[in-house]
Amino acid sequence: MDDIEYSTDEIEKKADEEIISFGKIESGNENQHSPGKRKKCGGWKLASLLLVNQGLATLAFFGVGVNLVLLLTRVLDQDNAVAANNVSKWTGTVYLCSLIGAFLSDSYWGRYLTCAIFQLILVLGLGLLSFASWFFLISPTGCGDGMKLCNTPSSVGVVMFYLSIYLIALGYGGHQPTVATLGADQFDDSNPNAVISKAAFFSSFYFALNVGSLFSNTILVYYEDSGKWTLGFLVSFGAAIIALLLYLSGTSRYRYVKASGNPLPRVAQVFVAAYRKWGVTPATVDALYEVEGTESAIKGSRKILHSNDFKFLDKAATITSMDLRGPNNPWKLCTVTQVEEAKCVLKMLPIWLCTIIYSVIFTQMASLFVEQGDVMASKLKNFRIPAASMSAFDICSVLIWTGVYRHVVVPMSRSLTGNPKGLTELQRMGTGLIIGMIAMVAAGVTEIQRLKSVSPGSKKSSLSIFWQVPQYVLVGASEVFMYVGQLEFFNGQAPDGIKSFGSSLCMASMSLGNYVSSLLINIVMEVTTRDGGPGWIPDDLNDGHLDRFYFLIAGLTAVDFIIYVYCAKWYNGINLDTSENGIQLEEQQKEVLASLMS
């Protein structure tokens, strides 16, 4: 037994020699390392610069995305179902590109360079779209307003159009997850107020995002809806250029986080090591391999205590005679913390899968909600309300419900549950699912009423477009519960070494939700158009049953909620080592939470 303990010490020593350091803070230049000059880099001035950058970039992005479905139907003459599918695929690509940006920033390029490159791609995409619409798509001038038809675009124009919008998807998607983290990096963790400042920054970041999108959803969408597509795209192009120039102006004063290498191999090592020891009986908890001390083998990360979930992975931390004979090989022997890191990934996946159906609900605002509103009575005296501008009610609902949640829901739920946060992240996400389901029911009821108000031979219904307000408001309320809770959950439950992975799960959920929406539309149209029927989502919505599609999504959400409740009850949270450092960190978090809630 003594020989084994001695050999284990040797293994621990070798493991210490192969440690990878995560999250090393570096200043913009070497002189800024000195205490006297460190205060000049980072802080609220630079964070505010990034907030303005985010607001302008969001304005530019939504200047294209919010009205994209009408551009496809009016200018490119696509059917409603085809256009909705294309918007879902495009939006899904945006969030898929977010994963690419997050991976490159954390692993190789660093956050500053990643933001700069992807913002440049966004500018190029918007410039190409403005050029394509001016010379190839909008012909004759002013067409695509719902009355004046456009000429059939050339194949060159169509190619340039799709190239430009997917460059925009790549640029904005890659930039989005990175700039928020770069903003949080501007606050020095050695400062006691840094945690409070970061919390305030994320709230301000979400506010800036909604302000930018509000401008696009009201002013820009009006000009585009009236046939001035190129003008709207040029405004977006100009906003993106200003955003990039403002971003570059802070280059010498940012605080930087060094790229820490690819975290994927570390998780893969656990599965490979467990597979190699498939016939080995897992050791007892005390005999599993772990380095000594308060620090884990993953520098910058706290240790994670052993859990009884997925016990077959404990084989990867079980020391065998073969492990004692040669040098330490992480593909054969992993620490308990490394194994628990892999377990955390597996435990979060069922919760993540249950959030995808919510993203199906969310994506309807950019596609079918707009198509539905486009065939409703939208004139207010002599002013015509663009269908896409109705999403402004969603944005306002988000802003209002953010305050309601903090000042009303949290105090009430805190008194009932005794939880300082009021609702747990899982409870918050479940509430978001329920509200989202109700939003789909409201959309279905609106469509039933719209169909009842269609006169024979008329393309549009006499039902007011303001009947859509409840469904937009409900989706906005559900966002406050689902997306914010989802972000907090995945960031809080992800181990220190893979925090970027936690953020990526939120964006991956949105991406897959858009693709699932596209798949649902294809299946529904395939089934409902048999025997020559028009289908639920035909080119003329008056001949279809869009209400049934909304009710279908509501039904799927109800089933998903039942599964989600089971997964939420099964879920066991991460169990970090209660070392002195861990206790201090937890106490600091409690103090910050108390100050924020006061």
Side-chain angles (χ1 to χ4, degrees):
M1 187 65 181
D2 292 339
D3 292 338
I4 294 178
E5 290 178 353
Y6 176 77
S7 301
T8 303
D9 290 339
E10 289 185 339
I11 294 175
E12 293 174 354
K13 182 178 179 181
K14 292 174 182 177
D16 289 339
E17 296 173 356
E18 299 178 5
I19 282 171
I20 300 175
S21 180
F22 284 84
K24 292 182 178 179
I25 300 293
E26 293 186 347
S27 58
N29 56 61
E30 294 179 0
N31 294 332
Q32 289 171 343
H33 283 290
S34 61
K37 296 185 178 181
R38 186 179 301 169
K39 294 181 180 179
K40 295 183 180 180
C41 65
W44 266 112
K45 287 185 178 180
L46 274 299
S48 299
L49 184 65
L50 294 175
L51 291 176
V52 176
N53 170 268
Q54 173 62 19
L56 289 170
T58 303
L59 184 157
F61 171 74
F62 280 103
V64 176
V66 72
N67 235 2
L68 183 59
V69 69
L70 294 185
L71 178 67
L72 294 175
T73 55
R74 295 179 182 178
V75 179
L76 297 186
D77 196 28
Q78 294 183 1
D79 294 336
N80 283 325
V82 174
N85 264 340
N86 284 332
V87 171
S88 294
K89 292 175 183 176
W90 179 77
T91 309
T93 302
V94 173
Y95 294 115
L96 192 63
C97 291
S98 297
L99 299 180
I100 298 174
F103 175 78
L104 290 174
S105 66
D106 288 343
S107 301
Y108 302 108
W109 291 352
R111 286 159 193 153
Y112 170 80
L113 183 59
T114 302
C115 283
I117 291 175
F118 281 103
Q119 283 194 72
L120 180 60
I121 295 174
L122 175 63
V123 169
L124 293 175
L126 287 166
L128 181 60
L129 178 61
S130 301
F131 176 79
S133 66
W134 181 274
F135 287 98
F136 296 100
L137 301 178
I138 311 302
S139 177
T141 303
C143 70
D145 60 350
M147 294 178 288
K148 191 175 183 179
L149 299 178
C150 292
N151 296 331
T152 302
S154 64
S155 57
V156 175
V158 173
V159 169
M160 291 183 66
F161 167 75
Y162 278 106
L163 176 61
S164 64
I165 64 170
Y166 276 94
L167 280 175
I168 293 169
L170 176 62
Y172 184 77
H175 158 264
Q176 176 71 8
T178 312
V179 69
T181 312
L182 179 63
D185 292 340
Q186 303 314 303
F187 304 102
D188 190 355
D189 288 331
S190 64
N191 188 326
N193 296 323
V195 178
I196 299 176
S197 297
K198 286 183 179 182
F201 171 79
F202 282 119
S203 297
S204 301
F205 183 84
Y206 197 64
F207 179 82
L209 186 151
N210 279 277
V211 169
S213 60
L214 182 62
F215 180 87
S216 299
N217 282 265
T218 52
I219 299 177
L220 282 188
V221 76
Y222 170 75
Y223 285 100
E224 293 172 357
D225 187 71
S226 61
K228 299 177 182 178
W229 295 95
T230 303
L231 176 62
F233 297 153
L234 285 173
V235 171
S236 294
F237 180 45
I241 292 176
I242 296 173
L244 178 59
L245 293 177
L246 286 175
Y247 177 78
L248 295 176
S249 68
T251 299
S252 63
R253 296 174 293 157
Y254 289 129
R255 296 182 74 249
Y256 295 95
V257 172
K258 184 178 179 181
S260 56
N262 190 349
L264 296 179
R266 190 173 64 251
V267 176
Q269 286 168 354
V270 175
F271 291 96
V272 172
Y275 176 77
R276 286 180 169 178
K277 298 177 180 178
W278 195 253
V280 175
T281 302
T284 59
V285 176
D286 294 337
L288 293 175
Y289 172 56
E290 181 61 279
V291 296
E292 295 182 354
T294 59
E295 295 290 332
S296 71
I298 306 169
K299 282 294 184 178
S301 298
R302 289 165 289 177
K303 283 185 176 180
I304 308 174
L305 298 180
H306 176 267
S307 68
N308 292 323
D309 301 306
F310 303 108
K311 295 189 70 173
F312 68 93
L313 290 179
D314 290 345
K315 300 174 187 288
T318 299
I319 304 173
T320 65
S321 58
M322 295 295 294
D323 296 323
L324 303 177
R325 294 177 184 176
N328 180 50
N329 185 349
W331 293 96
K332 295 181 179 179
L333 182 63
C334 306
T335 64
V336 171
T337 295
Q338 190 175 346
V339 171
E340 291 301 318
E341 186 179 59
K343 288 182 180 181
C344 286
V345 174
L346 290 180
K347 288 191 292 185
M348 288 190 294
L349 284 179
I351 301 294
W352 172 72
L353 289 172
C354 290
T355 64
I356 294 175
I357 193 65
Y358 176 80
S359 295
V360 174
I361 296 173
F362 183 77
T363 195
Q364 304 311 313
M365 285 198 304
S367 54
L368 292 180
F369 278 18
V370 179
E371 293 181 357
Q372 181 187 38
D374 195 44
V375 289
M376 299 177 74
S378 57
K379 280 192 175 181
L380 194 61
K381 293 185 178 180
N382 294 326
F383 179 75
R384 183 175 179 272
I385 302 171
S389 68
M390 293 298 291
S391 57
F393 287 99
D394 164 74
I395 298 170
C396 292
S397 176
V398 169
L399 297 176
I400 293 171
W401 272 97
T402 300
V404 170
Y405 179 81
R406 178 175 177 180
H407 298 291
V408 179
V409 176
V410 170
M412 289 179 60
S413 56
R414 184 192 298 154
S415 62
L416 294 174
T417 64
N419 188 326
K421 293 184 178 180
L423 298 176
T424 66
E425 289 85 356
L426 290 173
Q427 290 171 338
R428 192 170 180 176
M429 291 160 63
T431 304
L433 271 175
I434 294 175
I435 299 175
M437 178 181 63
I438 298 173
M440 285 294 99
V441 173
V445 171
T446 297
E447 181 63 13
I448 291 174
Q449 296 301 317
R450 189 193 71 80
L451 290 173
K452 290 180 179 179
S453 302
V454 176
S455 301
S458 176
K459 184 179 179 181
K460 290 193 174 185
S461 170
S462 61
L463 189 70
S464 172
I465 195 173
F466 288 107
W467 270 71
Q468 285 193 313
V469 171
Q471 62 202 59
Y472 278 104
V473 170
L474 285 168
V475 171
S478 67
E479 287 179 60
V480 174
F481 287 90
M482 170 55 79
Y483 279 142
V484 178
Q486 190 179 357
L487 185 61
E488 291 180 6
F489 173 77
F490 288 124
N491 274 280
Q493 293 300 308
D496 295 333
I498 54 172
K499 288 293 182 184
S500 60
F501 173 78
S503 299
S504 299
L505 285 178
C506 302
M507 292 169 280
S509 171
M510 299 179 191
S511 176
L512 287 180
N514 281 274
Y515 289 120
V516 170
S517 176
S518 178
L519 178 63
L520 275 177
I521 291 176
N522 286 333
I523 294 174
V524 164
M525 290 303 294
E526 177 68 24
V527 173
T528 59
T529 55
R530 291 175 183 174
D531 301 324
W536 288 0
I537 316 174
D539 186 38
D540 186 352
L541 291 180
N542 296 333
D543 296 330
H545 281 285
L546 185 58
D547 54 314
R548 296 178 183 175
F549 183 72
Y550 288 146
F551 290 142
L552 173 64
I553 296 178
L556 293 175
T557 306
V559 175
D560 178 71
F561 176 75
I562 295 172
I563 300 173
Y564 172 81
V565 170
Y566 174 80
C567 293
K569 289 184 176 181
W570 165 83
Y571 183 82
N572 292 317
I574 187 172
N575 190 12
L576 294 170
D577 186 8
T578 55
S579 62
E580 182 178 354
N581 292 336
I583 293 174
Q584 290 177 352
L585 180 59
E586 290 177 1
E587 290 300 323
Q588 182 186 27
Q589 290 174 341
K590 290 179 181 178
E591 291 175 2
V592 171
L593 181 62
S595 66
L596 290 175
M597 294 301 179
S598 61

